[in-house]
Amino acid sequence: MKISVVGTGYVGLVSGACLADVGNDVLCLDLDPEKIRVLEAGDIPIHEPGLLEIVRRNVAAGRLSFTTDIEAAARFGTMQFIAVGTPPDEDGSADLQYVLAAARNIGRYMDGYRVVVDKSTVPVGTGDQVSAVIAEELRRRESDLEFSVVSNPEFLKEGAAVEDFMRPDRIIVGAEDERAIELMRELYGPFQRNREKVLVMDVKSAEMTKYAANAMLATRISFMNELANLAETLGADIELVRQGIGSDPRIGWQFLYAGCGYGGSCFPKDVKALVRTGRESGHELQILNAVESANEAQKLRLVDKIVARFGEDLSGKHFGLWGLAFKPNTDDMRDAPSRTIVAELFRRGASVAAYDPVAVTEARRIFGDDARLSFVERPMSVLEGADALVIVTEWKEFRSPDFERMRQMLKTPVVFDGRNMYEPAVMKRYGLEYHGIGRR
């Protein structure tokens, strides 16, 4: 099957590469010539485990190629995947300009039947807008070419996106046209050989499913963070509480970890967009308003603990920081808690030495040449001259550090753990003052 993918970000590049890996011919379009240059040079512009190997393998096999030529992409694939960004507008709503521009270009240059697949996360009703834009372009051309618009939201976790695409737990297809549905079933056949995973529904329900999924997961995170803060006040231990409620099969274990807040490209943006959609429809989504407020406050929870320990004025204090990315196995720092924490430490007069296995380049782009922030190449190096260690991202290499060396290197043997990576009793045994989230 011939497939065009508009956009080479996390969703577009992973989707294009994985679809090529099962034998399809895929052409990925991006208007950023630098991205295309990087891809054609045999590299990728993002950090995603396993993706580089798949891209190189399929480029070598001739199944995956890249272009900046809009017309060529529109004419290439019967399946036209739109996988461009939908960043939040100032009012929190999703900005659809890139989605609609992609749709307009498809309508302008398509030369046969097309299935236009909305892979981007888009508000309910976007499918209608995409359809209207394509139809308008075809009318201008006085063309009677047929097309179908399908909603096919992605459920890819950054850091595990390849695995999620190749072994999906469900494939949502929002469509009313039988021809398009059959083509989507054919396309995803290789990814569901052990059982039927395609769930067919109407376009609007598919669009809403994506937002509902992310909003639910964000709600679980903020719920646990709220409970963790209460546990600290009451003298309970949130880790024991987590085990107690997670063992209930009606609740389960996923997304029940307390921490310093969620970030990334999806949860913050999608919660805001769903709240905005509800407001525009006359429904105030009170739970999601609270989820968003709780998360923003939680990003400062570690700083609150630092202030309680060292005082309001942190002038002259120096902190070591482990983790910059919003989660492990990615270099994504969009809405990352580290950004809020570092900015607040700066505001209070402190300096920071940071380590992250892959996100330093992105951090340099975000923070610039601020002299208050330095980067080191090894985790233990951040401890040199530091008044305390602050842990923001739960990278695997932080799980079993040399605690004895940690105590010796820190000016003050204090650890502020925003991801509850260690047991308080173990830290006490090594002579480290430990401040987790909701730990007794």
Side-chain angles (χ1 to χ4, degrees):
M1 194 175 289
K2 286 194 170 185
I3 302 164
S4 294
V5 179
V6 183
T8 59
Y10 279 96
V11 177
L13 189 55
V14 170
S15 300
C18 291
L19 288 169
D21 207 42
V22 296
N24 296 292
D25 291 325
V26 180
L27 177 63
C28 290
L29 167 72
D30 203 293
L31 300 185
D32 183 348
E34 178 59 22
K35 272 189 177 182
I36 298 302
R37 185 198 65 76
V38 169
L39 288 163
E40 290 182 334
D43 205 348
I44 57 176
I46 57 176
H47 177 85
E48 186 61 44
L51 180 59
L52 180 60
E53 293 78 8
I54 293 180
V55 169
R56 286 178 174 173
R57 179 166 67 242
N58 286 281
V59 168
R63 292 188 298 265
L64 180 63
S65 55
F66 308 98
T67 186
T68 57
D69 189 331
I70 294 171
E71 183 174 353
R75 293 179 180 274
F76 181 82
T78 299
M79 315 297 287
Q80 296 276 324
F81 276 74
I82 298 178
V84 296
T86 54
D89 243 333
E90 291 183 5
D91 60 3
S93 61
D95 185 349
L96 296 178
Q97 63 171 312
Y98 304 111
V99 170
L100 297 180
R104 191 171 298 282
N105 287 329
I106 292 169
R108 188 172 294 154
Y109 297 115
M110 58 188 273
D111 58 0
Y113 174 71
R114 295 290 183 267
V115 178
V116 180
V117 184
D118 277 333
K119 199 70 176 170
S120 302
T121 301
V122 294
V124 177
T126 301
D128 292 340
Q129 295 184 58
V130 167
S131 183
V133 164
I134 296 172
E136 179 185 346
E137 287 299 323
L138 290 174
R139 280 195 300 272
R140 272 191 198 143
R141 294 170 54 188
E142 298 182 350
S143 171
D144 59 357
L145 291 173
E146 294 182 338
F147 69 94
S148 301
V149 174
V150 172
S151 175
N152 177 220
E154 53 85 15
F155 298 96
L156 308 178
K157 299 185 296 292
E158 290 186 35
V162 171
E163 176 71 13
D164 287 345
F165 196 100
M166 300 300 278
R167 295 177 178 82
D169 47 26
R170 79 283 204 199
I171 300 166
I172 303 295
V173 173
E176 285 89 24
D177 177 63
E178 282 302 321
R179 184 178 178 184
I181 292 170
E182 287 307 308
L183 283 170
M184 293 296 288
R185 287 190 183 279
E186 179 184 345
L187 179 69
Y188 280 113
F191 303 96
Q192 52 169 347
R193 295 181 65 83
N194 61 338
R195 66 177 175 86
E196 178 65 37
K197 299 176 182 179
V198 171
L199 300 176
V200 178
M201 59 187 71
D202 62 276
V203 173
K204 289 184 178 179
S205 295
E207 291 169 339
M208 189 167 183
T209 297
K210 168 63 175 179
Y211 279 108
N214 280 352
M216 172 59 78
L217 297 176
T219 298
R220 286 170 68 96
I221 293 171
S222 282
F223 174 75
M224 286 303 291
N225 286 337
E226 291 272 81
L227 286 186
N229 298 339
L230 177 61
E232 284 187 14
T233 301
L234 300 178
D237 190 322
I238 196 61
E239 177 59 19
L240 299 178
V241 174
R242 182 188 72 82
Q243 295 174 27
I245 65 176
S247 57
D248 185 332
R250 297 170 301 174
I251 298 172
W253 299 100
Q254 298 297 315
F255 288 83
L256 285 187
Y257 291 93
C260 52
Y262 61 75
S265 63
C266 293
F267 287 5
K269 171 178 69 69
D270 293 352
V271 169
K272 284 184 173 68
L274 191 53
V275 166
R276 180 67 184 181
T277 296
R279 194 167 292 153
E280 290 173 345
S281 304
H283 297 276
E284 195 65 37
L285 301 181
Q286 298 180 42
I287 290 176
L288 293 187
N289 280 325
V291 166
E292 187 177 11
S293 297
N295 189 61
E296 290 307 304
Q298 196 69 16
K299 289 181 180 181
L300 288 172
R301 187 70 178 172
L302 282 182
V303 179
D304 292 340
K305 291 174 177 289
I306 292 169
V307 167
R309 176 62 175 77
F310 290 104
E312 295 279 348
D313 184 0
L314 299 177
S315 297
K317 296 294 182 183
H318 178 68
F319 296 95
L321 187 81
W322 278 359
L324 292 161
F326 86 94
K327 63 179 286 189
N329 299 319
T330 180
D331 60 351
D332 196 343
M333 288 185 61
R334 284 174 286 187
D335 279 300
S338 64
R339 297 175 67 163
T340 301
I341 292 166
V342 169
E344 183 63 14
L345 290 175
F346 286 171
R347 192 184 71 80
R348 292 179 177 274
S351 60
V352 175
Y355 169 80
D356 189 286
V358 301
V360 169
T361 299
E362 182 65 8
R364 290 186 192 278
R365 185 189 68 79
I366 291 168
F367 291 108
D369 297 324
D370 196 314
R372 296 170 294 183
L373 178 62
S374 59
F375 301 99
V376 299
E377 295 183 356
R378 293 180 178 83
M380 299 303 282
S381 297
V382 307
L383 306 179
E384 295 176 3
D387 291 283
L389 172 64
V390 182
I391 304 173
V392 183
T393 313
E394 63 275 31
W395 287 94
K396 284 183 180 179
E397 62 187 281
F398 302 157
R399 289 181 182 176
S400 298
D402 186 336
F403 292 120
E404 180 63 32
R405 186 179 171 209
M406 181 185 292
R407 182 184 62 79
Q408 293 172 357
M409 292 182 69
L410 286 167
K411 286 172 62 177
T412 313
V414 182
V415 176
F416 297 94
D417 184 357
R419 298 300 175 187
N420 288 345
M421 297 193 71
Y422 312 127
E423 282 299 316
V426 172
M427 301 298 278
K428 183 178 181 180
R429 191 165 69 244
Y430 280 100
L432 289 160
E433 182 182 324
Y434 182 68
H435 300 269
I437 304 291
R439 301 308 306 273
R440 187 168 55 190

